[in-house]
Amino acid sequence: WPGFSELPAVPGELSSIIREEGEKAPGVLPGRRLLDGTFTRENWERAQGRYSVIHVASHFSFSPGKERGSYLLLGDGTAYTVEEVTTRGPVFSGVELLALSACNTAMGESNGGEIKGFGRLAQEQGALSVLATLWAVADESTSKLMREFYRQRLAEPGSTKASALIKAQMALLRGEIGAGEGRAARSKLAGEKKGVEQTFKTDPQRPYAHPYYWAPFILIGNWK
């Protein structure tokens, strides 16, 4: 959509996490994938009250000082705004984990009138835990981190979300997760049309070791 880059790593990310009915592999959680045009407002709102885990891999545009101008991009090109989350009530009630695999979803501001980040608002509106980001994240590395996060959760039954996130982040830091371009941003920073630009040198042995790739991910709410 105009103003946003393509996200070629998203289909693989979703299929590695969500296993639809009748599929044997590779998804680790049973559910439904809503890709591109099927990720509509109707389907998004229906999922809010149906699934205990919701994983969103899309763009998020944060506009400082504007609840209506800060929004999650749906697959049909429409916007699901921070203002809607604020006014619609506990829309994420019953959601154990809302993973926002997009940019700037934990960002907010408090210059005069506080504008809360999408992640914090989602937690206040019912989600027990929210996985959100502090800046514009890269497409390829984010996809790999998310896959590792869910893999760690299932590999050790009873492990906490916080523990799984730390292990996934350490896998990127130590170079245990392989190379990829990792440059296409999942969103644009406020005021930037072309998104985030990589301005640091990467280690070929540890392509995602720089904090840019793994440090923006935080848990809000129940860490268990």
Side-chain angles (χ1 to χ4, degrees):
W1 296 101
F4 296 97
S5 61
E6 295 182 16
L7 300 176
V10 164
E13 176 180 335
L14 295 182
S15 63
S16 72
I17 296 168
I18 303 300
R19 182 182 67 256
E20 294 194 323
E21 186 176 356
E23 292 182 338
K24 295 183 179 180
V28 295
L29 297 176
R32 183 185 179 196
R33 295 190 299 270
L34 302 174
L35 185 64
D36 295 335
T38 60
F39 183 32
T40 63
R41 180 179 302 273
E42 180 182 2
N43 286 333
W44 164 237
E45 292 179 348
R46 183 181 295 118
Q48 291 169 7
R50 181 178 179 183
Y51 297 100
S52 61
V53 175
I54 298 178
H55 182 91
V56 182
S58 184
H59 289 292
F60 183 81
S61 181
F62 176 72
S63 180
K66 299 179 180 179
E67 287 189 340
R68 186 173 296 178
S70 298
Y71 60 90
L72 179 71
L73 182 69
L74 300 178
D76 57 2
T78 58
Y80 189 79
T81 67
V82 167
E83 183 182 53
E84 290 182 75
V85 180
T86 304
T87 58
R88 288 190 61 231
V91 293
F92 298 108
S93 179
V95 175
E96 178 191 350
L97 173 64
L98 173 62
L100 298 171
S101 181
C103 299
N104 310 320
T105 49
M107 286 183 64
E109 69 165 8
S110 57
N111 296 328
E114 183 177 18
I115 302 297
K116 298 178 181 178
F118 193 95
R120 181 178 169 190
L121 279 172
Q123 195 265 329
E124 291 181 355
Q125 298 297 340
L128 295 180
S129 302
V130 180
L131 182 57
T133 57
L134 293 168
W135 57 74
V137 296
D139 185 40
E140 182 71 26
S141 57
T142 295
S143 174
K144 293 184 176 183
L145 184 141
M146 289 296 173
R147 296 180 195 185
E148 183 64 13
F149 168 73
Y150 287 100
R151 191 190 73 79
Q152 290 288 349
R153 282 279 286 166
L154 292 178
E156 299 183 23
S159 65
T160 66
K161 302 180 188 75
S163 174
L165 176 59
I166 291 172
K167 290 178 180 179
Q169 290 172 316
M170 291 300 293
L172 266 67
L173 175 61
R174 292 170 176 164
E176 296 169 3
I177 292 181
E181 289 299 323
R183 295 182 181 180
R186 291 232 165 156
S187 186
K188 57 184 179 180
L189 293 171
E192 293 185 354
K193 294 183 179 180
K194 294 184 179 180
V196 67
E197 297 293 336
Q198 181 175 306
T199 58
F200 51 84
K201 293 183 179 180
T202 58
D203 180 348
Q205 302 302 316
R206 300 185 302 149
Y208 304 128
H210 194 281
Y212 162 68
Y213 293 112
W214 54 265
F217 300 90
I218 62 170
L219 273 171
I220 302 171
N222 188 342
W223 56 273
K224 295 181 179 181

